Amino acid sequence: SPALRRQRMSGTRYLSVTEFLEHIGHVIGRTALYALLDQRAIPSVRLGKKYIIPADALERMETGGRGINHDAK
């Protein structure tokens, strides 16, 4: 798939919305996550209707949120 090719080329690992929610223990719902993605509060790439989230965004959240846009609207 194009996402996997881009992932291999850039060396960046991406998570699907489902994988991201599993990693954070479903502390927020899918709708809330999509709202955060739409507001660009969490970095992501949109491929058509699908979002993919760089794994390092998850790592930044786990280390206190550095690099996460807390002021997104």
Side-chain angles (χ1 to χ4, degrees):
S1 81
L4 291 176
R5 276 192 294 263
R6 188 172 301 133
Q7 179 176 331
R8 275 189 240 120
M9 291 185 331
S10 70
T12 302
R13 188 170 149 253
Y14 290 92
L15 303 171
S16 69
V17 166
T18 301
E19 291 170 327
F20 187 86
L21 289 170
E22 288 171 357
H23 277 69
I24 64 169
H26 294 272
V27 296
I28 63 171
R30 183 175 295 273
T31 303
L33 177 56
Y34 277 114
L36 291 169
L37 295 172
D38 286 338
Q39 295 167 7
R40 297 190 175 132
I42 298 174
S44 64
V45 176
R46 189 150 185 185
L47 301 171
K49 294 181 179 182
K50 180 180 179 178
Y51 281 101
I52 55 175
I53 304 161
D56 65 350
L58 176 66
E59 293 165 7
R60 286 193 299 262
M61 286 178 69
E62 291 173 340
T63 59
R66 290 182 299 277
I68 302 299
N69 185 0
H70 297 284
D71 298 322
K73 296 179 181 172

